[in-house]
Amino acid sequence: MSNERFSEVDAWKTNMFLYNAALKEVGTKIEILNEEFLNVHNYNPIEHIKSRVKSPESIVKKLKRNGYEVTIENMVKHLNDIAGIRIICSFTSDIYMIAEMISNQSDITVIQIKDYIANPKENGYKSYHLVVSVPIYLSDGPVDVKVEIQIRTIAMDFWASLEHKIYYKFEGNAPLSIWNDLKQCADIVEVLDGRMLSLNEIVKQYKVDSDS
């Protein structure tokens, strides 16, 4: 193996190490915020957290799809979702609260926000996306690493999981009838999330009234 090839392998290993470290760093911050909220407000806004680093195959496909040469430099510069964290919560009101709590962390820098809840995608996809950078402190100093954070309700996540399966099953060319059904499901999810939030607010108010 040539020295150049060794260098590429080392660069790949280093960047994957950094992305995994960034996931741990951001994941720990989110867990601490959740535990603090539970202690202070006796309420747990986060149902569960999922994290992953994109596979090499997915990275290559996305670079090619976006018209970039497959290099480590392009991967780091142009892909924001190599390290990804998904936060699942119960209610739509929790989504913005969690996003604000994360954004207020002093060592987290918000690079990009995409609010697909206020502005859903045409197919009905809804989620709140944050791209942030977090410093990873190494022996020779800090390195800023990007992490994409997706925040959505349980119902939104269920819908997105099905949409993902359909997209890859048909390689993006599913029959129109399936896409129409999926869009109708997205409309149902919106109604369900709204009614669940309203019911939760009623229950909270009832508890306040009964305690007074």
Side-chain angles (χ1 to χ4, degrees):
M1 187 181 289
S2 67
N3 289 336
E4 183 179 345
R5 187 65 179 153
F6 269 123
S7 178
E8 289 177 0
V9 171
D10 287 344
W12 171 262
K13 288 181 178 178
T14 298
N15 277 286
M16 289 302 102
F17 161 75
L18 288 171
Y19 285 121
N20 276 292
L23 282 183
K24 291 178 182 177
E25 185 76 20
V26 176
T28 299
K29 289 177 179 294
I30 293 168
E31 289 174 1
I32 291 171
L33 287 171
N34 193 43
E35 289 174 10
E36 178 201 8
F37 207 85
L38 181 61
N39 286 325
V40 174
H41 301 285
N42 197 32
Y43 171 61
N44 188 345
I46 297 174
E47 292 290 335
H48 56 272
I49 302 168
K50 303 175 184 177
S51 63
R52 63 99 185 98
V53 173
K54 266 188 183 297
S55 68
E57 295 80 10
S58 295
I59 291 170
V60 169
K61 283 182 181 178
K62 188 158 189 179
L63 282 172
K64 289 182 176 179
R65 188 168 65 244
N66 292 344
Y68 297 113
E69 183 183 354
V70 179
T71 65
I72 292 173
E73 182 182 0
N74 282 340
M75 173 188 83
V76 173
K77 183 178 180 180
H78 297 293
L79 299 188
N80 293 331
D81 61 344
I82 294 175
I85 291 181
R86 186 175 303 151
I87 301 172
I88 313 302
C89 52
S90 296
F91 307 105
T92 50
S93 57
D94 294 332
I95 293 172
Y96 293 100
M97 178 183 66
I98 292 166
E100 184 178 6
M101 289 194 299
I102 293 170
S103 300
N104 287 339
Q105 295 282 296
S106 61
D107 57 349
I108 283 183
T109 302
V110 176
I111 298 172
Q112 184 182 78
I113 295 173
K114 290 185 178 179
D115 187 350
Y116 294 117
I117 297 170
N119 302 289
K121 290 186 178 180
E122 189 175 346
N123 66 355
Y125 175 85
K126 297 180 75 174
S127 186
Y128 191 93
H129 292 195
L130 283 168
V131 177
V132 305
S133 70
V134 60
I136 302 301
Y137 292 93
L138 304 177
S139 57
D140 57 352
V143 178
D144 289 327
V145 182
K146 291 184 290 187
V147 178
E148 184 189 63
I149 304 170
Q150 298 179 356
I151 314 172
R152 58 179 69 148
T153 64
I154 298 169
M156 290 176 195
D157 190 56
F158 183 32
W159 184 94
S161 177
L162 179 59
E163 188 271 344
H164 183 81
K165 291 175 184 176
I166 291 171
Y167 184 88
Y168 283 97
K169 173 72 173 179
F170 293 95
E171 297 182 344
N173 295 308
L176 183 60
S177 60
I178 290 180
W179 289 124
N180 287 338
D181 283 348
L182 191 66
K183 179 61 173 68
Q184 289 180 22
C185 287
D187 296 337
I188 293 169
V189 165
E190 182 175 5
V191 172
L192 176 62
D193 273 335
R195 293 190 67 176
M196 293 286 280
L197 177 60
S198 297
L199 181 58
N200 185 59
E201 293 300 316
I202 291 170
V203 170
K204 288 193 319 189
Q205 187 60 46
Y206 178 81
K207 188 176 185 300
V208 170
D209 291 343
S210 62
D211 289 344
S212 58

